[in-house]
Amino acid sequence: MILYGLKTCDTCRKAAKALEAAGHAVTFRDVRAEPLSGAEIATFLAAFGDRLVNRSSTTWRGLDEAERARPAAELLAAHPALMKRPVLVEGEKITLGWDKAAQGLWL
């Protein structure tokens, strides 16, 4: 299982801890340190659409209107911290966020 997120994200750390406690072998991938490839961004956008862009983040609030108008794939490539997180991937199974629905699928 791969958890895509940020090392500094409390939600990502909580998710990793809970998944490991449930017996999952979790590989944590910090998208700032190791940015997503174009193919990964395309896969995530196909699965989640514009929900993948975290429009309530500090990074988003710091962007000007011209930057915000860019396509989601370009935004995520230029600003990895804009990705809503965590994204969890295991085989064909993929989820976004760490809400009760996502927890129910993994724990």
Side-chain angles (χ1 to χ4, degrees):
M1 166 185 289
I2 301 173
L3 186 154
Y4 296 86
L6 298 174
K7 291 275 187 202
T8 57
C9 174
D10 288 338
T11 304
C12 293
R13 289 193 300 250
K14 287 177 191 173
K17 186 175 179 180
L19 290 163
E20 287 169 354
H24 293 280
V26 179
T27 300
F28 196 112
R29 176 146 163 223
D30 186 326
V31 297
R32 260 194 205 128
E34 190 180 342
L36 298 173
S37 69
E40 289 168 325
I41 291 172
T43 298
F44 293 171
L45 284 172
F48 308 118
D50 280 346
R51 292 185 310 132
L52 187 62
V53 177
N54 185 355
R55 288 182 170 79
S56 63
S57 71
T58 304
T59 304
W60 177 261
R61 289 190 298 267
L63 299 177
D64 62 32
E65 288 303 316
E67 188 77 3
R68 290 179 182 181
R70 292 173 63 188
E74 288 180 20
L75 279 171
L76 293 167
H79 306 283
L82 274 178
M83 184 185 83
K84 184 174 173 103
R85 51 199 181 267
V87 172
L88 297 164
V89 178
E90 186 174 54
E92 296 298 313
K93 192 174 174 182
I94 181 170
T95 60
L96 176 64
W98 190 242
D99 57 9
K100 290 199 181 294
Q103 291 173 30
L105 290 172
W106 297 106
L107 301 180

